[in-house]
Amino acid sequence: MSIKSKFKTFFFLDDEYNEEEDMMEEEELEPVKQHKPHVQKQNVVSLQSVQKSSKVVLIEPRVYAEAQDIADQLKNRRAVVVNLQRIERDQGKRIIDFLSGTVYAISGDIQRIGTDIFLCTPDNVEVSGNISQIMSENDFDNTRW
């Protein structure tokens, strides 16, 4: 019974109380429930691929052992900027080799974005554009990579 009909019957304003009107008013107040047909789900989406926000991690390794930490970030679907300016050249080369294998395994990408700086991205991150370096002949001879 709706409030309107209760009010009418309490004050005897509506001598002919119609129960059907009351039912119709209650039906209007109730939200319409739709029955969805049973749909069999065939595609399964990993919860890791549905992230609210993407993160970019900046890492400046000092020893080769930190390469595994960088790889773990990539496995967790985070882009990583690796700055190799504070590490020996041979250790940096080993890190890049290790990360190249990691990126290949996760179908990601690795790009050089500066002198001794690399961007490693998993497959859920799309990189567009490029950074061109203008180097003189002298600078090119002095590059470590």
Side-chain angles (χ1 to χ4, degrees):
M1 204 179 232
S2 71
I3 294 172
K4 183 179 175 183
S5 60
K6 286 181 181 180
F7 186 76
K8 285 181 180 180
T9 53
F10 182 74
F11 289 101
F12 302 108
L13 296 175
D14 189 18
D15 292 336
E16 297 179 288
Y17 176 71
N18 189 353
E19 198 168 308
E20 288 180 55
E21 285 181 28
D22 188 34
M23 295 294 275
M24 290 178 72
E25 288 175 2
E26 285 181 11
E27 287 178 3
E28 289 175 4
L29 295 175
E30 291 180 13
V32 178
K33 295 179 183 177
Q34 296 178 349
H35 296 286
K36 296 180 183 177
H38 180 65
V39 177
Q40 184 178 9
K41 303 230 179 191
Q42 295 176 351
N43 296 335
V44 177
V45 178
S46 170
L47 289 178
Q48 285 183 333
S49 67
V50 182
Q51 293 182 344
K52 293 181 181 176
S53 63
S54 297
K55 291 187 179 186
V56 177
V57 180
L58 307 174
I59 297 180
E60 196 170 31
R62 310 253 175 162
V63 293
Y64 174 74
E66 293 180 42
Q68 190 170 4
D69 296 334
I70 300 168
D72 289 339
Q73 294 292 337
L74 289 166
K75 284 177 26 184
N76 290 328
R77 304 178 68 80
R78 294 187 183 114
V80 181
V81 176
V82 183
N83 183 356
L84 298 173
Q85 293 176 347
R86 296 186 180 240
I87 196 167
E88 295 292 323
R89 185 183 191 290
D90 61 330
Q91 295 292 307
K93 188 169 175 119
R94 288 180 64 201
I95 289 174
I96 293 303
D97 289 343
F98 182 83
L99 293 177
S100 294
T102 302
V103 166
Y104 176 77
I106 63 170
S107 301
D109 190 29
I110 186 167
Q111 295 180 8
R112 184 176 183 171
I113 59 173
T115 306
D116 304 334
I117 301 173
F118 293 84
L119 174 64
C120 303
T121 55
D123 63 343
N124 67 323
V125 176
E126 181 180 335
V127 178
S128 61
N130 60 5
I131 298 175
S132 62
Q133 288 185 318
I134 300 173
M135 298 179 154
S136 67
E137 290 294 323
N138 294 339
D139 290 340
F140 187 71
D141 292 336
N142 293 331
T143 56
R144 294 170 44 188
W145 306 104

